[in-house]
Amino acid sequence: MRIGLVGSGGREHAIAKVLARNPARDSLYIFASHPNPGIEPLAATTETGDLHNTGSVVDFFLANHIDLVVVGPEAPLLAGVIDALRDRGILAVGPTQSQARIEGDKAFMRDLLQRRVGWGAPAWRVVQSRREGADFISEVGEVAVKPIGLTGGKGVNVMGVHLLTLDDALDQIEILIKKDRQVLLEERMVGEEFSRMVFVSDNNVIPMPVAQDFKYAYDGDHGGMTGGMGAYTCADGSLPFLLPDDLDNADRLIGETVDALAAETGEPYRGFLYGQFIATANGVRVIEFNARLGDPEAINMMALLEADAAHTFYQIANGELKQDQRFFSSLASVSKYLVPKGYPDDVGEPLKFNLDETSVLDAGLSIIYASVIGDHNGYQTMGSRTMALIGTGEEPGEVSSWMESLLLEIQPHGLRHRVDIGDARVIQSKLARMAQIRGIRSDDE
Ligand code: GLY
């Protein structure tokens, strides 16, 4: 099968790796914004271009007689690339442009869930003036201030965390209104966040292991918000701080949202859906939905995927995927991004570096390349998350420790990472924190 892949970040390298497991049967054609050093050796051909330009994407795949296209990032989904591919008879994994609004328009997402799902949301309001913002804050207390459109994970400001006074919050509201005419406010929620991603193939929703992404730049959740510094999963597919009800409710919310999207748009959903949730004292709440795989979470999921990726994605695109096999291994996983020292605020000049790839592989870990160019003779950072290490094992803490021992020796000068992702003590402290939030005694306190 000739398989097309759109995108060139870490998520797409992770997807390319599982698609390239059977090179005798499948060949990979990449439409990318830059040549990714990890994807290049796996690809038959790469075309670099503008991912928003659906015409160029479709022309490239038509010219190469592609059977199936997988789209990684959100921007081409929102530009309508899936609609354009299907119009030209190419099977594609991803939501249509109307369905991708679940990610691209947060007011649409909140309104859809209110009308068609009716539970699992914080108090929210879209406001168009400082005065309306002040009224909502006086009703619900502290809020999260969210731009309506895409933020790359970096645009949300929360009172009590980033906005320390009422005036800070109202000023931020005004800034976003000047830019977008409106802004989404949500009651501030306290708890532990988690990512539940699923394969959706019409009415069938196949869950992936639950992950926790570490969004802040530095250990202990300090510094600015990033695209995600890394993630861990546990061998049982859940996370220690989640109660069985939390996961059941997250899955019910995902199922009802899939139905809502299909009913709203009149089209079955065939792609990935990523629910970002928070477990609170009052149960699980939806933070947002994304119409794609998360990054870094996709790196963990693809490392755990046991099923044949090409076949799985083909069945998703055909509306035929069923929960008739085990898709993911029962192992834990940890991914950690290496980023330029000043990321995300001040990444400085491009940095040239070498990497001891043999030591990574000898340690049983894999490298995922992202915002970087070059090859094993020498790499150069491009400014965003440079590359990730991924490993699997019995416990996330064990994998995180192996990774730390290795990174002490081989981390290139000028790059840094978060040490605490997957660390056993950090996971225990999240469990204790969640127990305190729920008002129950934790055995581990
Ligand atoms: N993990 C954050 C994102 O993919 O948006």
Side-chain angles (χ1 to χ4, degrees):
M1 181 157 48
R2 288 177 166 232
I3 305 177
L5 176 63
V6 179
S8 47
R11 167 185 42 219
E12 290 76 34
H13 182 198
I15 295 172
K17 272 172 87 98
V18 292
L19 285 172
R21 276 181 198 160
N22 194 344
R25 189 195 64 189
D26 302 314
S27 48
L28 268 183
Y29 293 76
I30 315 295
F31 193 96
S33 52
H34 73 272
N36 176 309
I39 301 178
E40 283 302 285
L42 308 175
T45 305
T46 299
E47 171 105 341
T48 49
D50 177 4
L51 304 193
H52 296 84
N53 188 334
T54 56
S56 306
V57 176
V58 173
D59 286 348
F60 171 67
F61 291 133
L62 276 176
N64 286 289
H65 310 287
I66 298 301
D67 302 301
L68 170 73
V69 174
V70 182
V71 179
E74 57 276 24
L77 296 171
L78 281 154
V81 74
I82 297 290
D83 313 58
L85 288 163
R86 289 185 186 148
D87 282 351
R88 300 304 298 271
I90 302 178
L91 273 177
V93 179
T96 61
Q97 188 174 32
S98 325
Q99 293 169 335
R101 274 185 81 200
I102 189 105
E103 170 161 7
D105 180 346
K106 291 193 184 67
F108 167 78
M109 182 275 286
R110 284 290 174 218
D111 178 60
L112 178 79
L113 266 61
Q114 181 163 302
R115 283 186 292 108
R116 292 190 181 265
V117 176
W119 63 287
W124 65 275
R125 189 171 298 162
V126 175
V127 302
Q128 294 178 328
S129 70
R130 187 176 176 108
R131 176 59 188 269
E132 286 175 6
D135 287 349
F136 184 67
I137 292 170
S138 74
E139 281 170 38
V140 305
E142 289 183 328
V143 297
V145 180
K146 298 186 169 184
I148 298 286
L150 294 179
T151 64
K154 297 167 209 141
V156 176
N157 285 282
V158 181
M159 286 177 78
V161 181
H162 315 97
L163 306 167
L164 298 182
T165 66
L166 176 61
D167 270 340
D168 288 348
L170 295 175
D171 289 349
Q172 179 64 13
I173 288 168
E174 244 185 320
I175 289 169
L176 290 175
I177 289 171
K178 277 208 182 100
K179 200 163 141 271
D180 302 331
R181 288 184 306 139
Q182 52 183 4
V183 57
L184 173 65
L185 304 185
E186 293 175 359
E187 158 199 15
R188 181 182 172 195
M189 297 180 283
V190 177
E192 283 291 331
E193 295 185 16
F194 61 99
S195 307
R196 175 66 131 184
M197 304 191 295
V198 294
F199 298 140
V200 186
S201 186
D202 292 12
N203 298 323
N204 291 311
V205 176
I206 316 285
M208 304 181 210
V210 184
Q212 191 171 41
D213 177 16
F214 282 53
K215 293 207 169 76
Y216 288 89
Y218 297 98
D219 279 21
D221 288 344
H222 295 295
M225 296 282 263
T226 71
M229 294 292 292
Y232 71 93
T233 66
C234 295
D236 65 357
S238 184
L239 296 172
F241 58 79
L242 291 179
L243 303 176
D245 263 5
D246 294 331
L247 208 46
D248 287 351
N249 285 331
D251 286 342
R252 274 180 54 212
L253 283 162
I254 290 177
E256 291 176 28
T257 302
V258 169
D259 293 345
L261 272 172
E264 188 84 2
T265 60
E267 300 154 337
Y269 195 103
R270 296 179 175 175
F272 311 117
L273 186 65
Y274 160 11
Q276 199 194 332
F277 297 97
I278 182 165
T280 75
N282 302 315
V284 163
R285 299 283 181 270
V286 174
I287 296 178
E288 62 186 31
F289 274 105
N290 295 315
R292 55 175 169 86
L293 291 177
D295 188 351
E297 294 95 324
I299 296 172
N300 298 65
M301 299 309 142
M302 295 302 110
L304 295 169
L305 186 72
E306 273 183 357
D308 181 293
H311 184 63
T312 301
F313 297 162
Y314 183 82
Q315 286 193 314
I316 292 176
N318 262 320
E320 289 170 351
L321 189 72
K322 300 205 170 25
Q323 180 84 63
D324 55 3
Q325 60 169 307
R326 194 167 88 155
F327 286 88
F328 295 93
S329 74
S330 300
L331 287 173
S333 67
V334 176
S335 60
K336 299 193 191 204
Y337 262 115
L338 274 56
V339 298
K341 277 246 158 73
Y343 173 81
D345 302 321
D346 176 15
V347 293
E349 293 296 311
L351 173 80
K352 287 191 163 54
F353 67 93
N354 288 94
L355 184 67
D356 178 358
E357 284 149 327
T358 309
S359 293
V360 178
L361 302 181
D362 287 350
L365 302 169
S366 301
I367 307 165
I368 295 291
Y369 295 90
S371 180
V372 59
I373 49 173
D375 57 32
H376 59 270
N377 294 315
Y379 296 100
Q380 183 172 312
T381 60
M382 295 177 68
S384 191
R385 294 172 294 180
T386 308
M387 62 192 188
L389 296 191
I390 170 76
T392 60
E394 297 299 320
E395 296 285 343
E398 160 194 70
V399 182
S400 178
S401 300
W402 297 335
M403 223 174 252
E404 286 310 315
S405 315
L406 178 75
L407 282 168
L408 270 180
E409 310 220 330
I410 63 124
Q411 177 163 263
H413 186 70
L415 298 182
R416 64 170 184 86
H417 69 280
R418 272 187 72 160
V419 173
D420 58 354
I421 299 167
D423 178 85
R425 275 164 309 180
V426 171
I427 296 176
Q428 281 307 317
S429 72
K430 286 172 179 289
L431 181 62
R433 173 173 183 263
M434 202 57 230
Q436 196 177 36
I437 288 170
R438 294 186 209 271
I440 52 177
R441 229 188 91 78
S442 157
D443 292 342
D444 304 291
E445 279 174 307

